Amino acid sequence: MTIDIKTASCDDVSIENDVINLGGEGFSKNHDLAGANWIASASSPEEALSSVLQFVREAVFRSLPNYDLWALIGNSAWQPDTRVIRYKKLWRMLMEQGFDFSTLQPLPEILVERDGKLKFFGVFQFQNVSICSVAKMLLSEYCTYMVAIPSGLKIQDFLQTDWLMNVEDHGYFLSAVGNAGGVPIKVIGEFDDREHGLVAIGEVGLIRSLVS
């Protein structure tokens, strides 16, 4: 069955638009940022998001050949600072919940500490991995993004700690990554919606390439 994917874009996400709302104090704009979204409707959120993921991944690899695509996975809630949490970190915790990391080859987790609490963030390259597995992870309770960055950059250097400390503020995080020359991509759609998709922001030329 073919699933239709609706695409919309705008050249300036700082003004009112039908693509993404980045209002609030967290939005930081150093130069023009454009936006695009891709939305599909299917019998389940996983099916809809898998279709969009496949579509957008192909668009990134085709339109931005000098960029690498990564998945960023993080704790949505602050964790207690215990020896068990520090041992399990993120990947062990996810494996205990049934996620398969046999083909993902994730990099070591990044630890963020605040007020005696912990959060872990980890990344893996979104290439030669199961679309369905990534879709399930992006639909989980975790704070998840995809990030397309120039191939010459190290993902560890790109994801600076100050961005991760503000990852709950999607406007701040998306604009920070976009202003730095990357293309952050976020899941849109509530957990019980039939419609799910992805939204991305970045420099105007990058976004236009993705939707062309």
Side-chain angles (χ1 to χ4, degrees):
M1 181 181 68
T2 302
I3 297 177
D4 292 330
I5 298 174
K6 301 175 184 176
T7 302
S9 63
C10 67
D11 284 347
D12 188 350
V13 297
S14 68
I15 60 178
E16 186 175 351
N17 62 83
D18 295 327
V19 174
I20 184 173
N21 178 14
L22 287 179
E25 297 180 0
F27 178 64
S28 59
K29 182 182 178 184
N30 296 333
H31 49 271
D32 291 338
L33 291 175
N37 67 33
W38 301 265
I39 298 174
S41 178
S43 57
S44 70
E46 183 182 323
E47 185 179 4
L49 185 57
S50 294
S51 297
V52 175
L53 273 173
Q54 180 68 33
F55 185 88
V56 172
R57 184 171 73 167
E58 291 175 358
V60 170
F61 291 161
R62 179 183 65 251
S63 304
L64 306 177
N66 296 321
Y67 274 61
D68 295 326
L69 186 60
W70 295 81
L72 168 65
I73 312 297
N75 295 129
S76 57
W78 290 95
Q79 306 295 309
D81 188 355
T82 67
R83 277 194 287 180
V84 172
I85 295 297
R86 284 183 176 269
Y87 170 73
K88 290 184 177 181
K89 300 181 181 179
L90 178 64
W91 301 136
R92 285 190 182 96
M93 207 171 292
L94 285 171
M95 284 190 284
E96 286 182 358
Q97 297 178 28
F99 288 98
D100 182 7
F101 285 82
S102 60
T103 63
L104 297 185
Q105 298 181 336
L107 298 183
E109 300 94 324
I110 302 168
L111 170 63
V112 176
E113 301 182 61
R114 186 167 71 189
D115 301 327
K117 301 286 186 178
L118 309 177
K119 277 192 177 186
F120 290 96
F121 295 88
V123 294
F124 56 84
Q125 200 156 3
F126 192 14
Q127 191 171 5
N128 300 323
V129 298
S130 165
I131 290 288
C132 291
S133 295
V134 176
K136 288 179 181 178
M137 200 171 296
L138 294 177
L139 288 169
S140 73
E141 63 178 344
Y142 296 87
C143 191
T144 56
Y145 296 85
M146 290 191 299
V147 182
I149 63 171
S151 299
L153 292 177
K154 292 182 179 179
I155 188 66
Q156 299 95 324
D157 297 336
F158 198 82
L159 296 173
Q160 299 175 22
T161 303
D162 64 323
W163 298 356
L164 297 182
M165 289 291 284
N166 287 278
V167 76
E168 302 98 330
D169 186 334
H170 301 308
Y172 178 92
F173 183 80
L174 295 176
S175 58
V177 176
N179 282 324
V183 180
I185 304 168
K186 177 69 177 169
V187 174
I188 50 178
E190 298 299 328
F191 74 97
D192 55 350
D193 285 351
R194 293 186 60 193
E195 285 193 337
H196 268 76
L198 298 169
V199 62
I201 73 169
E203 295 176 353
V204 175
L206 297 177
I207 296 300
R208 286 181 177 176
S209 295
L210 288 176
V211 299
S212 63

